[in-house]
Amino acid sequence: MSDLLPVLRVLGALLAMFALTLGVPLGASLWAEEGLWHEYALAMCLTLGSGVLLWWGLREHRDELLPRHGVLLVSLVWAVTPFFAALPLLLVLDAVGRPLSFTHAYFEAVSGLTTTGSTVLSQLDGLPLSVNMWRTFMQWLGGMGILILAVAILPVLGMGGAQLFKAEAAGPVKDTKLTPRMTETAKGLWGVYVVFSLACALAFWAGGMTPEDAVMHMFATVSLGGLSPHDASFGYFASPLLEGICLVFMLAASCNFALYFVAVRKGHWRSFWRDEEMRATLGALIGGGLLVALLLWAKGTYEPLQALRMGLFHVVSVATTTGFATTDYLAWPVLAPVLMLLMSGVATSAGSTGGGIKMVRMLILFKQARRELTRTVHPRAMQPLRLGERVVSDGMVFSVLAFMLVYGATVIVLSLVLLLTDLDMVTAFSAVLASVHCTGPGLGLLGPSSNYAVLTDFQLWVCTLGMLLGRLEILSFMALLTPAFWRR
Amino acid sequence: MSDLLPVLRVLGALLAMFALTLGVPLGASLWAEEGLWHEYALAMCLTLGSGVLLWWGLREHRDELLPRHGVLLVSLVWAVTPFFAALPLLLVLDAVGRPLSFTHAYFEAVSGLTTTGSTVLSQLDGLPLSVNMWRTFMQWLGGMGILILAVAILPVLGMGGAQLFKAEAAGPVKDTKLTPRMTETAKGLWGVYVVFSLACALAFWAGGMTPEDAVMHMFATVSLGGLSPHDASFGYFASPLLEGICLVFMLAASCNFALYFVAVRKGHWRSFWRDEEMRATLGALIGGGLLVALLLWAKGTYEPLQALRMGLFHVVSVATTTGFATTDYLAWPVLAPVLMLLMSGVATSAGSTGGGIKMVRMLILFKQARRELTRTVHPRAMQPLRLGERVVSDGMVFSVLAFMLVYGATVIVLSLVLLLTDLDMVTAFSAVLASVHCTGPGLGLLGPSSNYAVLTDFQLWVCTLGMLLGRLEILSFMALLTPAFWRR
Ligand SMILES: [K+]
Ligand SMILES: [K+]
């Protein structure tokens, strides 16, 4: 057990860094003259103090971290940070006379940091600017965390085929390698993320949003979070132009950021367009959007042009796990929302800020199933499984398949737990899917025009657990539950 | 293409044999003096004629069947036989003034032969005895077909881990082999099936059923079909004794028949009890029953004893894919029916007459996931995957995993097609699960007190396809869709 103390030391250092990010809502609060800056300052001091105390108190434990430490560190970071991220919400909302329970505050923080974008708050337009700024900024921070998770933690642990990312990042261009050291890679991805963020905020602003709205919606868009500062979500703007801008950035952010990095650095845009996962992701998103548009038109829900606008925007929004909405799509023919929610499990790339299973895993599974079918008919034929230009090893396929099993089991168990509380089937299953995929809006009671405050505290904790498990790609968390982990 | 003609020739021979089974309802009709024997005789002649014609017409094509022929033969038999099995239903029900559409008749026949036990008929108690005899007898025949499918066809094709059955049948007793030739093995399983059938019918009769009811319910019980001649299903008897007898035979029939065969022949009952799949199956069924009983008691649905009776009977009935009911369990706390339906996908053994994924596959998947989790924490540890006393090869695990993928994809695609018809989500997903698992009763509109006549013709065809795909363990059918199959 004592060999796990260095993990807590690193956690302390990360918390201290996290405290500094509270400067953003603090600044917003000062700028908007809300008179709430001391609440943020208090939250910042508490977070900083805890972090430093942990770091300093364990200064004797500087041992190098092993893979098993990585599992624990990642799990702890994603479980503990929301606790401190919830502090300003608790303090500020109490100060403005809309006190929040700890369950609600922690849920909201996990929802933000995992870029799920579910909310338990209503009358969002009436919240202080700094609160909405913090809610949306958490998603942007979470996006950074996800990128480093994808590039530096999961591949090292070799979990659920996450090694693929490492290889794929370098894959498309044979003679090119991503800068080998991981911090360098992470910086490259962050560079892409920051450039996207600037471009997105400017585009929103130029498209007619106020500067504040542009920044907050940028936070929610590039992180594929979808948490909105408006009760009407993206429908607040009723602007085809802004929806188009949002659409483009959601599509861009659903691709592997390493592809952009490699393409820009080497100028090899042709290999960008050849990447199999990218093509499958964009193909699924746009194809799904057109399909739903067709459905909306065929069933007479909208006129053709409106069907196209509505279908594309909502499919891309939900399937990229963003979750913005401009209308209550639960009123559409039932196939549409179900398809969108199911797609949110698969239609983003590894190395993006999206949630769910990731398209690269689906590609491997699809190819594996096809290979097995061929073998059924021609027992002696055995082709290797290829992704792009490289051969995927059997070990990798196993890894992906184990991931799928644990994923499926997690979804079923969490759903059954919700059913135990007598929640109806549609709400229960969709709440779990929307949480584990980090999508946000569900079906039944949890549609885009509703919010998670309709759930009881216990149900919210189940969803909170689902968001954390989904974001950690489950396996890392599950590994903690194996006896093998705690044995030395 | 012409090399596929021998397949049709065998199909003809099988149809001619199938024609003879119509002697059972014909006999029942004569015995009950319904004046309907000529309808059965006509159906018999048409079936026999078609079979003989096909067999005789293709007498030049006696080539030996290859694995790829097996895939086609199995698919054809299961798709074509119901057409002829539907004939007597069409003729007789027309004669008694309750005409049936072809869609309904084919659905009913597929439901019977796949041992699904869904029905589109109502006022069952008012049907001629011979019709109910035929409906229930189809399940018993289907059970025989399933056993030969499991023992002689699927393992040869090596589909979805079905080879496991071959090995496992011999597995538990090291020094014992099942008679190596497959016809012998099939005869052994059929022997077990016939003994169970006799014992079950006698027990039902001794327990208070009329001889006709005892025979018909035996047909529905040992085949795990669950089609009842009464509108109130098993609730017609309101007898704890009969429910207990039924429970015992459902549990017995959910185990691998080869285990009984080996145990009886060699007297090795200790190895019977050591079989891993058998223990997991019975453990899941009884454990699930007790869990639901506890739930029913805790939520105040029933008094303790009644909760135990209701919980055990219905969990075992639905989870073994039988589908008898004595009450409308959709009125229970929502977790219970959902759990029961999900269990029906996994809680029967390979080599039984049950449907679904089969417990042996779940065991392999579970062990594979556990192995992968351990590897995450200790990258260098790599244990072999064991089932009972033997090591499961990686190829086998791949086979099972591919099966799961195709299974999952089938369920999702069929459900989406039902949603396209604007069926509600709960009904759509449960109809597909209940059909593909060959369970019968679903949720929503398709609970145990309702029936499938509420669906449109198109929706029924989707369910019919689901039943056939589920019964053929999907992969065999899917193989037909691969280009590789049609290439020589
Ligand atoms: K989201
Ligand atoms: K059944």
Side-chain angles (χ1 to χ4, degrees):
Chain A
M1 288 294 297
S2 72
D3 68 317
L4 299 174
L5 289 177
V7 173
L8 292 180
R9 186 165 177 274
V10 177
L11 176 68
L14 289 170
L15 280 179
M17 282 192 260
F18 180 73
L20 305 180
T21 65
L22 280 168
V24 168
L26 196 155
S29 185
L30 285 174
W31 183 77
E33 299 179 5
E34 296 166 339
L36 293 165
W37 69 269
H38 37 284
E39 272 78 10
Y40 291 103
L42 177 59
M44 194 189 263
C45 289
L46 285 171
T47 310
L48 192 66
S50 308
V52 169
L53 211 67
L54 209 53
W55 183 67
W56 187 78
L58 296 168
R59 66 193 175 283
E60 310 285 312
H61 301 275
R62 304 168 180 240
D63 320 274
E64 213 189 329
L65 298 189
L66 303 171
R68 55 198 289 265
H69 294 144
V71 176
L72 186 65
L73 175 63
V74 164
S75 308
L76 274 178
V77 169
W78 286 88
V80 172
T81 319
F83 177 81
F84 291 97
L87 269 184
L89 294 177
L90 283 168
L91 295 170
V92 172
L93 287 172
D94 193 58
V96 299
R98 291 174 59 178
L100 211 58
S101 73
F102 174 69
T103 300
H104 280 207
Y106 188 82
F107 176 90
E108 194 81 8
V110 168
S111 166
L113 289 168
T114 58
T115 76
T116 305
S118 313
T119 187
V120 285
L121 297 171
S122 46
Q123 295 174 288
L124 304 172
D125 298 87
L127 288 173
L129 173 70
S130 62
V131 170
N132 277 328
M133 194 58 88
W134 179 236
R135 289 171 72 234
T136 50
F137 183 53
M138 277 195 290
Q139 303 171 91
W140 195 81
L141 286 175
M144 293 195 103
I146 293 157
L147 290 176
I148 203 160
L149 195 69
V151 76
I153 311 287
L154 296 180
V156 184
L157 301 175
M159 278 175 307
Q163 317 90 300
L164 277 170
F165 177 80
K166 202 162 77 183
E168 276 310 289
V173 190
K174 251 189 180 165
D175 54 350
T176 307
K177 285 209 175 112
L178 268 180
T179 349
R181 284 174 51 224
M182 282 182 185
T183 48
E184 288 297 310
T185 311
K187 276 185 202 162
L189 299 194
W190 285 356
V192 174
Y193 191 52
V194 169
V195 170
F196 275 6
S197 301
L198 289 173
C200 181
L202 286 174
F204 277 149
W205 185 46
M209 285 192 194
T210 64
E212 300 94 303
D213 264 340
V215 168
M216 291 191 289
H217 284 84
M218 171 276 283
F219 286 153
T221 303
V222 296
S223 66
L224 301 177
L227 204 61
S228 168
H230 300 297
D231 290 304
S233 183
F234 218 84
Y236 173 84
F237 303 104
S239 155
L241 174 64
L242 287 174
E243 287 165 29
I245 296 171
C246 186
L247 191 77
V248 168
F249 280 96
M250 288 191 292
L251 287 173
S254 67
C255 298
N256 187 338
F257 282 19
L259 287 176
Y260 299 102
F261 178 47
V262 172
V264 168
R265 174 174 282 200
K266 299 281 162 186
H268 279 271
W269 280 95
R270 208 165 37 154
S271 41
F272 175 89
W273 292 112
R274 257 199 231 136
D275 183 71
E276 217 175 328
E277 186 185 18
M278 189 280 296
R279 292 164 77 137
T281 304
L282 293 188
L285 290 171
I286 294 169
L290 295 177
L291 197 76
V292 167
L294 192 68
L295 180 78
L296 292 176
W297 172 61
K299 296 253 181 190
T301 315
Y302 296 114
E303 295 302 300
L305 260 182
Q306 185 71 352
L308 193 67
R309 172 183 168 188
M310 286 298 195
L312 263 181
F313 181 79
H314 287 92
V315 168
V316 170
S317 167
V318 176
T320 57
T321 73
T322 311
F324 280 135
T326 66
T327 185
D328 183 0
Y329 52 71
L330 291 195
W332 291 356
V334 62
L335 176 61
V338 174
L339 186 68
M340 283 152 58
L341 186 60
L342 289 179
M343 279 183 71
S344 80
V346 300
T348 58
S349 300
S352 77
T353 51
I357 293 158
K358 308 289 183 310
M359 184 57 85
V360 67
R361 293 201 179 91
M362 291 312 291
L363 282 175
I364 290 179
L365 294 177
F366 173 77
K367 290 180 178 203
Q368 168 61 20
R370 198 177 54 185
R371 181 166 71 155
E372 200 63 27
L373 279 177
T374 309
R375 208 191 49 69
T376 302
V377 185
H378 294 295
R380 256 148 297 190
M382 198 67 189
Q383 321 99 314
L385 201 162
R386 283 177 187 286
L387 194 72
E389 287 167 6
R390 73 200 190 87
V391 172
V392 178
S393 72
D394 282 1
M396 182 81 83
V397 179
F398 270 138
S399 218
V400 173
L401 288 162
F403 174 83
M404 293 297 294
L405 291 175
V406 179
Y407 208 92
T410 305
V411 168
I412 288 177
V413 169
L414 292 182
S415 301
L416 292 181
V417 171
L418 283 185
L419 288 180
L420 186 62
T421 67
D422 295 325
L423 201 61
D424 73 279
M425 288 178 244
V426 170
T427 304
F429 275 95
S430 70
V432 170
L433 284 179
S435 298
V436 172
H437 294 164
C438 300
T439 311
L443 308 171
L445 300 176
L446 297 172
S449 65
S450 172
N451 77 42
Y452 278 70
V454 298
L455 299 185
T456 66
D457 276 9
F458 178 77
Q459 292 165 343
L460 282 176
W461 281 108
V462 174
C463 292
T464 305
L465 182 63
M467 293 190 280
L468 288 173
L469 287 175
R471 188 39 88 194
L472 292 172
E473 311 225 329
I474 295 175
L475 275 189
S476 50
F477 209 86
M478 287 290 157
L480 292 181
L481 304 181
T482 59
F485 179 84
W486 298 102
R487 261 182 260 131
R488 293 263 341 221
Chain B
M1 288 296 296
S2 71
D3 69 316
L4 299 175
L5 290 176
V7 173
L8 292 180
R9 185 165 178 274
V10 177
L11 177 67
L14 290 171
L15 280 180
M17 282 192 259
F18 180 73
L20 305 179
T21 64
L22 280 168
V24 169
L26 197 156
S29 186
L30 285 173
W31 182 76
E33 298 179 6
E34 295 166 341
L36 292 165
W37 69 268
H38 37 283
E39 272 79 9
Y40 289 105
L42 178 58
M44 195 189 263
C45 289
L46 285 172
T47 310
L48 193 66
S50 306
V52 169
L53 210 67
L54 208 54
W55 183 67
W56 187 78
L58 296 169
R59 65 193 175 283
E60 309 285 310
H61 301 276
R62 305 168 180 239
D63 319 274
E64 211 189 331
L65 298 188
L66 303 172
R68 56 198 289 264
H69 294 144
V71 176
L72 187 64
L73 176 63
V74 164
S75 308
L76 275 177
V77 169
W78 286 87
V80 172
T81 319
F83 178 80
F84 290 97
L87 269 184
L89 294 177
L90 284 168
L91 294 171
V92 172
L93 287 173
D94 194 56
V96 299
R98 290 174 60 176
L100 211 57
S101 73
F102 174 70
T103 300
H104 280 206
Y106 188 83
F107 176 89
E108 195 80 9
V110 168
S111 166
L113 289 168
T114 57
T115 76
T116 305
S118 313
T119 188
V120 285
L121 297 172
S122 44
Q123 295 173 289
L124 304 171
D125 298 270
L127 288 173
L129 173 70
S130 63
V131 170
N132 276 329
M133 195 59 88
W134 179 234
R135 289 170 73 233
T136 50
F137 184 53
M138 277 194 289
Q139 302 171 91
W140 196 82
L141 286 176
M144 294 195 104
I146 293 157
L147 290 177
I148 202 158
L149 194 70
V151 78
I153 311 286
L154 296 180
V156 184
L157 300 175
M159 278 176 306
Q163 316 92 301
L164 276 171
F165 176 82
K166 202 163 77 183
E168 276 309 289
V173 189
K174 253 190 178 163
D175 54 351
T176 309
K177 284 210 177 113
L178 268 180
T179 352
R181 284 173 51 224
M182 282 184 185
T183 49
E184 288 298 309
T185 311
K187 276 185 203 162
L189 299 195
W190 285 356
V192 174
Y193 193 51
V194 169
V195 170
F196 274 6
S197 302
L198 289 174
C200 183
L202 286 173
F204 277 150
W205 185 46
M209 286 191 192
T210 65
E212 302 93 303
D213 263 341
V215 169
M216 292 192 288
H217 284 84
M218 171 276 283
F219 287 153
T221 304
V222 296
S223 66
L224 301 178
L227 206 59
S228 168
H230 300 297
D231 289 305
S233 184
F234 218 84
Y236 173 83
F237 303 104
S239 155
L241 174 64
L242 288 174
E243 286 166 30
I245 296 170
C246 187
L247 190 77
V248 168
F249 279 96
M250 289 191 292
L251 287 175
S254 67
C255 298
N256 187 337
F257 283 19
L259 287 177
Y260 299 102
F261 179 47
V262 172
V264 168
R265 174 174 281 199
K266 299 281 162 185
H268 279 271
W269 281 95
R270 208 164 35 152
S271 40
F272 174 89
W273 292 112
R274 255 198 233 135
D275 183 70
E276 218 176 328
E277 186 185 18
M278 190 280 296
R279 292 164 76 137
T281 304
L282 294 187
L285 290 171
I286 294 170
L290 294 177
L291 197 76
V292 168
L294 192 68
L295 180 77
L296 293 176
W297 172 61
K299 295 254 183 188
T301 314
Y302 296 115
E303 295 302 299
L305 261 181
Q306 184 71 351
L308 193 66
R309 172 183 168 189
M310 286 298 194
L312 263 181
F313 181 80
H314 286 91
V315 167
V316 170
S317 168
V318 176
T320 57
T321 74
T322 311
F324 281 135
T326 64
T327 185
D328 183 0
Y329 53 71
L330 292 196
W332 291 357
V334 62
L335 176 61
V338 174
L339 186 68
M340 283 152 57
L341 186 61
L342 289 180
M343 279 183 70
S344 81
V346 300
T348 59
S349 299
S352 77
T353 51
I357 292 157
K358 308 290 183 310
M359 185 56 86
V360 66
R361 292 201 179 91
M362 291 311 291
L363 282 176
I364 290 178
L365 294 177
F366 173 76
K367 290 178 178 204
Q368 168 61 19
R370 198 177 54 183
R371 182 165 71 154
E372 199 62 27
L373 279 179
T374 308
R375 208 190 50 67
T376 301
V377 186
H378 294 295
R380 255 149 296 191
M382 197 68 189
Q383 321 99 314
L385 201 161
R386 286 178 185 285
L387 195 71
E389 286 167 6
R390 72 201 192 87
V391 172
V392 178
S393 72
D394 282 2
M396 182 80 82
V397 178
F398 270 135
S399 218
V400 172
L401 287 163
F403 174 83
M404 293 298 294
L405 291 176
V406 179
Y407 208 92
T410 306
V411 168
I412 287 177
V413 169
L414 291 181
S415 301
L416 292 181
V417 171
L418 284 185
L419 288 181
L420 187 61
T421 67
D422 294 326
L423 200 60
D424 73 278
M425 289 178 243
V426 170
T427 304
F429 275 95
S430 70
V432 170
L433 284 179
S435 298
V436 172
H437 295 164
C438 300
T439 310
L443 308 170
L445 300 177
L446 298 173
S449 64
S450 171
N451 77 41
Y452 279 71
V454 299
L455 299 185
T456 67
D457 276 10
F458 177 78
Q459 291 164 344
L460 282 177
W461 281 108
V462 174
C463 292
T464 305
L465 181 63
M467 292 190 281
L468 288 172
L469 287 175
R471 188 38 87 195
L472 292 171
E473 310 226 328
I474 295 175
L475 274 189
S476 50
F477 208 87
M478 286 290 155
L480 292 180
L481 303 180
T482 59
F485 179 84
W486 299 102
R487 262 182 258 131
R488 292 270 335 227

